[in-house]
Amino acid sequence: MLYKPRFFVNAEGLMQQRKTAKVPARFVLYFLSCSGFLVSFMMRNDINIALVAMTAKNSTQLTEILQTNENTTLSPALASEVVGGVAAQHFGTKQVFGWSQFATALGSLCIPFAADLHYGIVVVIRCIQGFASGLTWPAMYAVVSYWIPLAERSRFMSSFQGFSIGIGLTYVICGFIIDNFNWRYAFFTTGSLGMFWCFLWYMLAYNTPQEHPRITVEELEYIEMNIGVEVKESMGMKVPWKCIFTSLPVWAIGITTFGRIWIHYVFIVYGPSFMTNILKFPFQANGFLSGMPFICSYLSSVVFCCIADKMVLKEVMSLTNIRKLFTAFSQIVPGILIFSIGYINNIVVLLIIWFVAVTYITASYAGAMANIVDIAPNLAGPVLAFCQTIHMSASFLSPLAGGFIVTSEASIEEWRILFGTSSIITIATYSVYQIYGTATIQKWNYLPTSNTNSSDENNILNKKDTEDIPVEV
């Protein structure tokens, strides 16, 4: 069993300590992670809404940005995934995540001025933002293995879902600002939030518990008792890229998450268009209905992750099967529901199904996304970088396929083809994870001199793995 100190995490994920103790450092890290992804995605998505207003007076130049915006953001982000993983391994999460956020925030503040000069400058800024934002995910994954014991891992992963709140808030806040003020203030707002977050990050974040000057003795003892020695010594560890490239469990995570990202971007990119052209919602109602499921999906991720952690502690099933179960929730359920959307005439029922589908996608943070740290706690950043290079390609392939399929946005038949295709891709990619997914720590995760039985975590991770059976879904 895991060692428990005088404080622990309850079902709601709130950490209990003695009244005289300070706020747990892990709680602060959770807040910084959640708010960091929130602000990051606000800065990524502000231009998606602002472009409508920007092109009203600069149609010739800025329409070009509208057509290339997705590529100018996503292509550099894909290119920076491996860079982020390696950089975090050598320089630490604090530097990599902090500087990437600073560069993105500075870019948002500069876009209004760049738009007055030349649209090409806006494109360059978006490329820089895309590269910088691509560093964030592998950087944050790298810190999880140092700070978060297995029994809390799923719940901490829910902090990554802060990006959903960011997407939802962008629809609401930027839409309000543009309607009542000027599109420029949308960028000033998101950029300023990014700068303020950077200040908090540099004041409060640390790469390891041992570096933290304000962590309590009890909390430090708890972390060190439940984090393996090999994890503590992994900073600067050489990345075994060949082993990562040829690992079936790693490919299983990357492929299944490709399907999840595919369907997620159908909701993000084409949701507003479907609601406008098929459901005939006005702009403000469209923004609210498009954004609210993403805001609420953070809450659903916390629920899924709390349930997963309790299942781990109570040993309801092996960790491998827990990860497969929640991955199935995140892909099988939305895959079935999105197929049905094109055939439902009742708007209330359709919106309920839409809402449920978006919220169930977040179960992946208790499934395949948490699985990255399970199989390679020492190399979570580089493994995430490799997996994300695979699955983030869906974030531009999905919109491209949608544009090819839906040529007439008023045609329900074409929407049915899009939804049906997305359903097949999402469910088919999950089947790969069902076959090859595992939570067993991989041999290449360890330093050559590491003791592979040095922590309770390793024992739990490997317990019953030889008895794993496919999860019935």
Side-chain angles (χ1 to χ4, degrees):
M1 294 295 292
L2 290 175
Y3 164 77
K4 295 183 181 180
R6 280 169 283 185
F7 65 93
F8 198 60
V9 184
N10 62 20
E12 290 75 30
L14 300 175
M15 301 178 185
Q16 304 293 326
Q17 272 190 305
R18 295 177 301 171
K19 293 182 179 179
T20 55
K22 301 176 182 179
V23 176
R26 301 192 313 290
F27 182 87
V28 175
L29 183 62
Y30 182 98
F31 164 76
L32 290 172
S33 174
C34 184
S35 60
F37 283 111
L38 184 156
V39 172
S40 176
F41 272 76
M42 287 190 72
M43 294 185 293
R44 291 189 196 191
N45 289 281
D46 49 12
I47 199 169
N48 293 333
I49 298 177
L51 272 174
V52 177
M54 294 168 71
T55 55
K57 293 184 178 181
N58 303 277
S59 58
T60 302
Q61 295 180 335
L62 290 176
T63 296
E64 182 69 20
I65 307 175
L66 180 62
Q67 295 172 345
T68 60
N69 177 52
E70 202 68 31
N71 287 334
T72 58
T73 304
L74 293 171
S75 298
L78 286 172
S80 64
E81 296 294 345
V82 175
V83 175
V86 175
Q89 195 74 17
H90 290 278
F91 302 110
T93 295
K94 181 168 185 174
Q95 295 297 324
V96 178
F97 199 102
W99 280 106
S100 67
Q101 289 282 76
F102 178 82
T104 308
L106 183 62
S108 288
L109 293 173
C110 291
I111 282 178
F113 304 105
D116 290 335
L117 298 175
H118 194 274
Y119 79 94
I121 303 177
V122 177
V123 173
V124 171
I125 292 176
R126 289 296 289 172
C127 287
I128 295 173
Q129 287 184 306
F131 183 88
S133 62
L135 303 173
T136 56
W137 289 88
M140 186 52 70
Y141 262 85
V143 84
V144 173
S145 58
Y146 294 104
W147 276 95
I148 311 300
L150 173 63
E152 302 175 10
R153 189 169 296 161
S154 293
R155 272 166 288 184
F156 186 84
M157 297 303 295
S158 69
S159 69
F160 289 38
Q161 195 61 28
F163 83 86
S164 290
I165 305 177
I167 293 172
L169 287 179
T170 305
Y171 281 118
V172 177
I173 294 177
C174 290
F176 173 81
I177 292 174
I178 293 168
D179 280 346
N180 294 276
F181 301 98
N182 185 283
W183 62 265
R184 301 172 189 276
Y185 292 105
F187 293 103
F188 292 149
T189 299
T190 58
S192 297
L193 286 173
M195 288 296 184
F196 177 70
W197 182 90
C198 287
F199 171 77
L200 293 179
W201 175 258
Y202 280 104
M203 292 294 294
L204 301 174
Y206 294 88
N207 289 319
T208 65
Q210 292 75 20
E211 296 176 15
H212 202 297
R214 295 180 297 276
I215 190 172
T216 62
V217 174
E218 293 89 348
E219 184 176 12
L220 182 60
E221 179 185 5
Y222 166 57
I223 294 173
E224 290 184 336
M225 287 290 292
N226 290 286
I227 296 293
V229 174
E230 69 279 353
V231 174
K232 303 171 192 174
E233 297 174 349
S234 65
M235 181 71 75
M237 177 181 175
K238 183 179 179 180
V239 180
W241 288 114
K242 182 180 179 180
C243 295
I244 293 175
F245 291 161
T246 57
S247 171
L248 286 177
V250 171
W251 276 96
I253 294 172
I255 291 172
T256 194
T257 312
F258 176 94
R260 179 180 64 83
I261 296 294
W262 183 287
I263 196 172
H264 204 192
Y265 266 77
V266 170
F267 285 111
I268 292 174
V269 176
Y270 288 99
S273 177
F274 180 78
M275 291 186 179
T276 297
N277 295 283
I278 301 299
L279 304 183
K280 306 300 181 182
F281 286 130
F283 178 78
Q284 289 187 338
N286 189 341
F288 177 80
L289 292 172
S290 297
M292 282 306 297
F294 293 102
I295 294 176
C296 294
S297 62
Y298 166 74
L299 300 177
S300 66
S301 72
V302 173
V303 172
F304 285 126
C305 290
C306 285
I307 294 173
D309 277 346
K310 280 202 168 292
M311 291 176 70
V312 171
L313 285 172
K314 294 181 180 297
E315 300 181 6
V316 174
M317 60 178 70
S318 69
L319 185 61
T320 294
N321 279 343
I322 291 174
R323 299 306 186 210
K324 289 181 178 180
L325 176 65
F326 284 91
T327 304
F329 284 155
S330 72
Q331 295 187 223
I332 302 296
V333 175
I336 294 173
L337 293 179
I338 197 172
F339 179 81
S340 69
I341 286 175
Y343 298 91
I344 297 174
N345 296 321
N346 188 305
I347 292 182
V348 175
V349 175
L350 189 151
L351 289 176
I352 292 173
I353 290 178
W354 188 285
F355 186 91
V356 172
V358 173
T359 54
Y360 259 80
I361 290 174
T362 64
S364 178
Y365 286 86
M369 297 305 288
N371 194 203
I372 291 172
V373 188
D374 296 335
I375 66 173
N378 291 340
L379 300 162
V383 172
L384 183 277
F386 176 72
C387 290
Q388 200 157 10
T389 302
I390 298 172
H391 69 238
M392 283 307 291
S393 60
S395 59
F396 64 85
L397 291 177
S398 178
L400 285 175
F404 177 79
I405 294 171
V406 182
T407 57
S408 174
E409 294 182 339
S411 171
I412 187 62
E413 289 77 16
E414 292 183 359
W415 284 104
R416 287 171 179 168
I417 295 174
L418 174 62
F419 293 150
T421 302
S422 301
S423 176
I424 292 171
I425 291 173
T426 302
I427 295 174
T429 52
Y430 167 74
S431 65
V432 177
Y433 185 74
Q434 176 64 36
I435 297 170
Y436 297 108
T438 181
T440 303
I441 296 180
Q442 302 301 292
K443 294 180 179 179
W444 42 264
N445 167 76
Y446 297 105
L447 291 166
T449 58
S450 292
N451 179 4
T452 60
N453 295 312
S454 61
S455 69
D456 288 337
E457 175 175 334
N458 293 341
N459 295 329
I460 292 178
L461 285 172
N462 292 285
K463 188 174 183 178
K464 297 183 181 179
D465 271 342
T466 58
E467 303 174 1
D468 282 345
I469 58 175
V471 178
E472 297 294 335
V473 295

